[in-house]
Amino acid sequence: MIKIQVKVNQVIEKVCDAYYDPKARIVWNHASDDWETPTSSVDLRLGGTFSDHFQAKDKSFEFDFEGEFTYIETPHRVEYKMGDGRKVITQFTQDKDCTIITQEFDAEDSNSTEQQREGWQNILNNFAKYIDENKNKNSKK
């Protein structure tokens, strides 16, 4: 499994809520600035599914990233199985006024381990940036 991590300046409940909010996901869920996520749906319950539609901004390539939730203990741990059977574990750990997000995921065969780590890490970094930029708004929820 590949492991990535980021520290977010917000309490765990608000981080977990924002992470699985489809409206938020369309803002932060991309690995680079030339990609976007125009649609997202999340049914965060055991057996529920999610789908994020990723596309290059120039419309040259697109794909759906989908999975089914297999374990949920919000706000601490969520696991899912991707459409191709690979497993992903996302853990949220409170650290004073911050939250540490740790993700572990099975590698795929098309891209190098380093490319996968970098792409997923960029997405987590975008999420942390989103939380920082929206902290006051998120703290009023």
Side-chain angles (χ1 to χ4, degrees), residues 75-108:
H76 302 286
R77 184 181 178 110
V78 175
E79 298 180 17
Y80 62 87
K81 181 174 60 172
M82 291 185 257
D84 62 6
R86 293 181 295 135
K87 184 178 180 179
V88 178
I89 301 167
T90 305
Q91 296 185 96
F92 302 89
T93 307
Q94 190 72 52
D95 181 23
K96 298 180 185 172
D97 292 339
C98 297
T99 302
I100 298 170
I101 303 171
T102 305
Q103 272 190 325
E104 295 180 83
F105 59 95
D106 290 333
E108 44 97 343

Side-chain angles (χ1 to χ4, degrees), residues 116-137:
Q116 293 173 70
R117 179 180 290 110
E118 181 180 329
W120 284 59
Q121 184 67 58
N122 288 345
I123 291 170
L124 270 188
N125 293 346
N126 284 338
F127 177 70
K129 180 179 175 187
Y130 169 83
I131 290 294
D132 282 346
E133 291 173 350
N134 292 279
K135 187 168 184 180
N136 291 335
K137 188 185 321 179

Side-chain angles (χ1 to χ4, degrees), residues 5-107:
Q5 195 172 70
V6 72
K7 192 171 193 174
V8 180
N9 294 315
Q10 184 60 280
V11 296
I12 192 170
E13 292 84 4
K14 294 187 186 312
V15 170
C16 187
D17 287 349
Y19 193 84
Y20 292 106
D21 177 354
K23 290 177 184 174
R25 292 175 75 83
I26 62 173
V27 176
W28 61 263
N29 196 11
H30 53 276
S32 64
D33 288 339
D34 54 342
W35 281 82
E36 62 188 353
T37 305
T39 61
S40 176
S41 65
V42 178
D43 181 10
L44 186 60
R45 63 180 174 84
L46 192 60
T49 60
F50 72 90
S51 178
D52 294 319
H53 184 75
F54 289 100
Q55 68 182 25
K57 287 184 177 177
D58 68 4
K59 311 285 192 264
S60 63
F61 192 78
E62 63 185 335
F63 66 95
D64 291 317
F65 183 78
E66 302 172 319
E68 178 181 337
F69 295 107
T70 57
Y71 180 86
I72 298 174
E73 184 191 334
T74 57
H76 302 286
R77 184 181 178 110
V78 175
E79 298 180 17
Y80 62 87
K81 181 174 60 172
M82 291 185 257
D84 62 6
R86 293 181 295 135
K87 184 178 180 179
V88 178
I89 301 167
T90 305
Q91 296 185 96
F92 302 89
T93 307
Q94 190 72 52
D95 181 23
K96 298 180 185 172
D97 292 339
C98 297
T99 302
I100 298 170
I101 303 171
T102 305
Q103 272 190 325
E104 295 180 83
F105 59 95
D106 290 333

